[in-house]
């Protein structure tokens, strides 16, 4: 399914008028982790916020610390060219912002609905920045 998703990104980007940069950074991230997001929301609704935050942050840490480096190393063996792990300014800014926000949210040990709303607002701002980055 992942191969089908990745293979259809170029055509989809042209059809709906979005850049591949936006689709790769925002849409694929949401669709690819939809099951984990859903479980985190269900667990949060049952007032188990420590587990919900653990699911959300654990998923991101797994991708950043395991999947991306393994893909780079495997590309030397399987791919025609090695896959570089290079980030542009928007991606680096988003990573730094995500690390700072995750640190602030987890340091307090508790959360409120207002913090959740602020986190969604930050994601919306990042999505808009990625949307207008290539326009």
């Amino acid at each position: 399914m992942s191969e089908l998703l990745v293979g259809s990104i170029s055509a989809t980007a042209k059809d709906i008028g979005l850049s591949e940069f936006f689709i790769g950074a925002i849409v694929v991230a949401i669709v690819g982790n939809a099951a984990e997001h859903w479980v985190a929301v269900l667990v949060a609704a049952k007032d188990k916020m420590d587990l919900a935050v653990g699911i959300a942050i654990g998923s991101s840490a797994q991708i950043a610390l395991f999947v991306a480096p393994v893909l780079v190393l495997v590309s030397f063996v399987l791919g025609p060219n090695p896959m570089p792990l290079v980030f542009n300014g928007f991606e680096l800014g988003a990573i730094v912002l995500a690390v700072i926000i995750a640190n602030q949210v987890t340091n307090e040990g508790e959360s409120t609905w207002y913090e959740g709303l602020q986190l969604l607002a930050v994601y919306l701002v990042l999505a808009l920045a990625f949307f207008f980055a290539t326009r």
Side-chain angles (χ1 to χ4, degrees), residues 64 68 84-93 95:
L85 190 59
V86 179
F87 299 106
N88 65 27
F90 283 100
E91 293 164 336
L92 283 175
I95 290 170

Side-chain angles (χ1 to χ4, degrees), residues 35-52:
E36 289 174 349
H37 296 317
W38 182 250
V39 170
V41 168
L42 289 177
V43 170
K46 294 179 182 178
D47 204 26
K48 297 182 180 178
M49 290 305 295
D50 55 338
L51 181 57

Side-chain angles (χ1 to χ4, degrees), residues 1-130:
M1 295 306 292
S2 295
E3 187 175 328
L4 186 69
L5 174 68
V6 171
S8 65
I9 287 177
S10 294
T12 303
K14 288 180 183 175
D15 289 346
I16 59 178
L18 295 175
S19 68
E20 288 183 16
F21 180 62
F22 175 80
I23 290 177
I26 303 298
V27 177
V28 172
I30 292 172
V31 172
N33 293 323
E36 289 174 349
H37 296 317
W38 182 250
V39 170
V41 168
L42 289 177
V43 170
K46 294 179 182 178
D47 204 26
K48 297 182 180 178
M49 290 305 295
D50 55 338
L51 181 57
V53 170
I55 290 170
I57 293 176
S59 172
S60 301
Q62 179 183 12
I63 298 297
L65 298 175
F66 178 72
V67 176
V70 167
L71 287 176
V72 170
L73 294 174
V74 168
S75 73
F76 283 101
V77 177
L78 297 180
N81 298 317
M83 182 180 103
L85 190 59
V86 179
F87 299 106
N88 65 27
F90 283 100
E91 293 164 336
L92 283 175
I95 290 170
V96 168
L97 187 62
V99 168
I100 291 169
I101 290 172
N103 186 29
Q104 292 296 320
V105 168
T106 57
N107 273 344
E108 294 175 5
E110 61 182 32
S111 62
T112 64
W113 65 270
Y114 188 66
E115 278 183 332
L117 185 64
Q118 288 175 329
L119 290 171
L120 289 173
V122 168
Y123 194 79
L124 178 65
V125 167
L126 285 174
L128 288 171
F130 276 77

